[in-house]
């Protein structure tokens, strides 16, 4: 009986030894991002080269990472842009995501309160060196000597031009490029000529519930005129002759009906693609979408899309507003395996920076921006110079999104005639300085 039992136990042991090892549960991390939701179009796509636009590319990138790394489970939380109210609430509750998209201009607000983890060791362990970042990307994510984000891009505002209308208006050079104004007076003259010839307003602008565009235009032109309005990062100076000139130009454009009015952000994008006007003031992030549209048939941009930096109509040296997107890691308890998974995710995003650059954003990896592959992308020849002259606000300026909103709101009130220009600039100055003082 004993021998029989021993044989049974031995057979059972051998049978168990022949079973395949049980797979370990995948390491689980939460990735929170903005850039919109587009699962209907790209929710299962893993061929990133086929994706178009910010949402399509970021969705496909994450899909590809998940497909390539079955040992890592990613819970994706898509938030409405920019998502900082939600992130702040999550951090306060002690349940933040592991990785989050965050603007470089906002990093200091969270880093200074100890809410983000430095990434130096995580990136190094994953094989990502900060020396590979562009100068702008490295500066944007470096706070107090440490790296607090993986830079994704640098972005700025651009003139998106309907060349079909520019041809109709007689505003095309012999080489087929658009005639761009060199002075504020030329801009107004060309805008009037454009409207006379096409019956359309020259500019397409987001003016309803939109504050950033006016702030960014002011920033670009003040910087070009070397007006150091934030010489002291705790105190802004806005009621200046330079600022008045800029606001007066945009007010003249508004008063003379040379721009669209009452459009919000989405309506201005849609309006431009439907032919509402000649020049859309928007950012690098829509270049890929508009280029793709221009290659389709029967729309306002078919065979007629061009994009350029803001023309320096107030003189001075080329200089442009700049910000950047980055991936940051929140401060929370997590396992070494989760940290390693985060590092692997960040390495994947760094290695696939070219895919993201197809959106129109400027790459954050220097090797990508130097590559022939990137330079061969449509329209990069006309906007690549921005990489060397774009200038973000000093990192010491805190609450930059709130500063942006305050200045944009006050400028909009002056342009639309709700306030006198002097009063609006004074109020903007006072409100921002009160914010920074408290």
């Amino acid at each position: 009986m004993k021998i029989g039992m021993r044989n049974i136990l031995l057979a059972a042991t051998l049978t168990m030894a022949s079973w395949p090892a049980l797979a370990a549960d995948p390491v689980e991390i939460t990735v929170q991002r903005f850039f919109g939701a587009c699962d209907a179009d790209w929710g299962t796509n893993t061929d990133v080269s086929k994706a178009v636009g910010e949402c399509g590319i970021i969705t496909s990138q994450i899909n590809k990472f998940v497909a390539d790394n079955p040992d890592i489970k990613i819970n994706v939380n898509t938030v409405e842009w920019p998502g900082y109210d939600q992130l702040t609430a999550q951090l306060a509750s002690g349940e933040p995501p592991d990785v989050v998209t965050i603007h470089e201009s906002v990093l200091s607000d969270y880093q200074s309160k100890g809410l983000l983890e430095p990434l130096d060791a995580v990136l190094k362990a994953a094989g990502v060196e900060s020396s590979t970042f562009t100068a702008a990307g490295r500066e944007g994510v470096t706070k107090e000597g440490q790296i607090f984000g993986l830079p994704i891009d640098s972005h700025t505002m651009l003139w998106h031009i309907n060349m079909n209308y520019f041809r109709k208006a007689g505003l095309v050079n012999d080489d087929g490029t658009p005639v761009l104004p060199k002075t504020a007076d030329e801009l107004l003259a060309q805008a009037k000529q454009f409207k006379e010839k096409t019956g359309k307003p020259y500019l397409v602008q987001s003016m309803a519930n939109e504050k950033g565009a006016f702030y960014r235009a002011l920033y670009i032109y003040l910087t070009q005129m070397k007006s150091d309005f934030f010489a002291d990062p705790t105190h802004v100076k806005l009621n200046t002759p330079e600022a008045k000139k800029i606001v007066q130009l945009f007010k003249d454009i508004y008063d003379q009906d040379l721009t669209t009015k009452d459009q919000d952000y989405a309506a201005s994008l849609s309006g431009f693609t439907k032919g509402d006007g000649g020049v859309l003031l928007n950012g690098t992030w829509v270049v890929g979408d508009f280029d793709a549209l221009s290659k389709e048939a029967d729309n306002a941009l078919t065979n007629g899309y061009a994009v350029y930096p803001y023309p320096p109509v107030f003189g001075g040296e080329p200089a442009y507003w700049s910000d950047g997107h980055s991936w940051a890691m929140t401060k929370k308890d997590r396992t070494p395996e989760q940290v390693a998974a985060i590092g692997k995710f960040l390495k994947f995003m760094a290695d696939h920076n070219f895919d993201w650059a197809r959106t129109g954003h400027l790459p954050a990896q220097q090797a990508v921006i130097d590559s022939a592959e990137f330079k061969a992308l449509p329209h990069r020849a006309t906007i690549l110079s921005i990489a060397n002259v774009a200038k973000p606000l000093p990192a010491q300026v805190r609450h930059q999104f709130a500063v942006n909103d305050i200045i944009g709101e006050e400028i909009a009130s002056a342009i639309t005639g709700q306030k006198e220009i002097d009063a609006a600039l004074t109020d903007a100055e006072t409100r921002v300085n009160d914010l920074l003082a408290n």
Side-chain angles (χ1 to χ4, degrees), residues 128-421:
V128 180
E129 297 290 340
S130 62
S131 59
T132 65
F133 304 163
T134 62
R138 191 161 49 250
E139 179 183 350
V141 298
T142 303
K143 313 295 175 185
E144 299 178 2
Q146 291 182 293
I147 302 294
F148 279 90
L150 174 77
I152 305 173
D153 60 53
S154 293
H155 52 262
T156 190
M157 295 291 285
L158 299 166
W159 272 33
H160 301 271
I161 299 172
N162 184 320
M163 288 301 298
N164 295 321
Y165 282 161
F166 263 58
R167 295 181 191 110
K168 188 175 181 179
L171 293 173
V172 179
N173 295 308
D174 292 340
D175 62 359
T177 58
V179 175
L180 299 178
K182 298 181 178 63
T183 66
D185 288 341
E186 279 189 16
L187 193 157
L188 284 172
Q190 290 182 15
K192 292 174 184 176
Q193 177 179 329
F194 182 92
K195 189 171 185 182
E196 289 170 1
K197 298 286 188 179
T198 67
K200 303 284 186 177
Y202 186 67
L203 295 185
V204 178
Q205 297 187 83
S206 172
M207 301 191 71
N209 303 317
E210 170 65 25
K211 302 164 185 176
F214 286 130
Y215 160 77
R216 294 163 186 169
L218 183 75
Y219 182 102
I220 288 170
Y221 289 127
L222 284 178
T223 305
Q224 289 179 356
M225 289 191 280
K226 297 189 182 301
S227 175
D228 198 353
F229 58 102
F230 251 124
D232 175 357
T234 65
H235 188 90
V236 70
K237 187 175 181 181
L238 285 175
N239 197 351
T240 63
E242 293 86 359
K244 291 176 187 177
K245 287 181 182 179
I246 298 165
V247 179
Q248 185 64 60
L249 172 63
F250 279 89
K251 179 170 173 53
D252 290 342
I253 291 169
Y254 183 89
D255 289 345
Q256 296 176 38
D257 293 325
L258 301 173
T259 180
T260 56
K261 300 177 180 179
D262 302 322
Q263 291 185 338
D264 63 13
Y265 184 84
S268 68
L269 284 177
S270 175
F272 181 64
T273 64
K274 293 176 181 177
D276 281 0
V279 179
L280 173 70
L281 304 183
N282 208 299
T284 50
W285 47 91
V286 290
V287 171
D289 291 302
F290 288 157
D291 179 68
L293 194 62
S294 73
K295 294 171 182 173
E296 297 177 3
D298 301 324
N299 67 73
L301 298 180
T302 300
N303 299 319
Y305 171 63
V307 58
Y308 285 80
Y310 274 46
V313 296
F314 293 101
E317 297 295 323
Y320 304 97
W321 165 84
S322 175
D323 200 349
H325 298 117
S326 66
W327 292 108
M329 183 169 75
T330 60
K331 180 161 284 188
K332 62 184 284 189
D333 292 333
R334 50 175 66 88
T335 66
E337 290 78 15
Q338 286 177 310
V339 174
I342 291 169
K344 200 169 186 179
F345 176 80
L346 296 177
K347 176 70 162 61
F348 177 91
M349 289 299 176
D351 288 346
H352 292 80
N353 192 226
F354 171 79
D355 291 320
W356 182 247
R358 291 193 297 105
T359 59
H361 292 309
L362 297 174
Q365 293 288 328
Q366 189 63 47
V368 176
I369 209 168
D370 290 339
S371 70
E373 186 180 25
F374 172 73
K375 292 176 182 177
L377 290 174
H379 311 293
R380 284 358 181 241
T382 60
I383 65 174
L384 189 56
S385 62
I386 291 173
N388 298 318
V389 292
K391 184 178 180 182
L393 270 180
Q396 296 85 351
V397 178
R398 299 297 166 86
H399 313 301
Q400 290 190 22
F401 261 55
V403 169
N404 178 330
D405 285 352
I406 289 170
I407 295 175
E409 182 180 292
E410 294 293 346
I411 292 173
S413 72
I415 290 170
T416 57
Q418 299 172 48
K419 287 185 180 181
E420 295 295 326
I421 293 176

Side-chain angles (χ1 to χ4, degrees), residues 8-72:
I8 291 171
L9 292 174
L10 178 60
T13 302
L14 291 172
T15 300
M16 292 175 64
S18 67
W19 291 353
L22 294 176
D25 291 336
V27 178
E28 194 166 336
I29 60 174
T30 300
V31 173
Q32 185 160 295
R33 67 164 186 82
F34 39 74
F35 303 122
C38 51
D39 282 354
D41 294 319
W42 305 106
T44 60
N45 179 57
T46 57
D47 186 348
V48 186
S49 67
K50 293 181 179 178
V52 177
E54 286 182 316
C55 185
I57 291 174
I58 198 71
T59 300
S60 301
Q61 284 183 317
I62 294 175
N63 292 344
K64 175 64 172 170
F65 177 81
V66 170
D68 289 353
N69 295 277
D71 57 327
I72 299 174

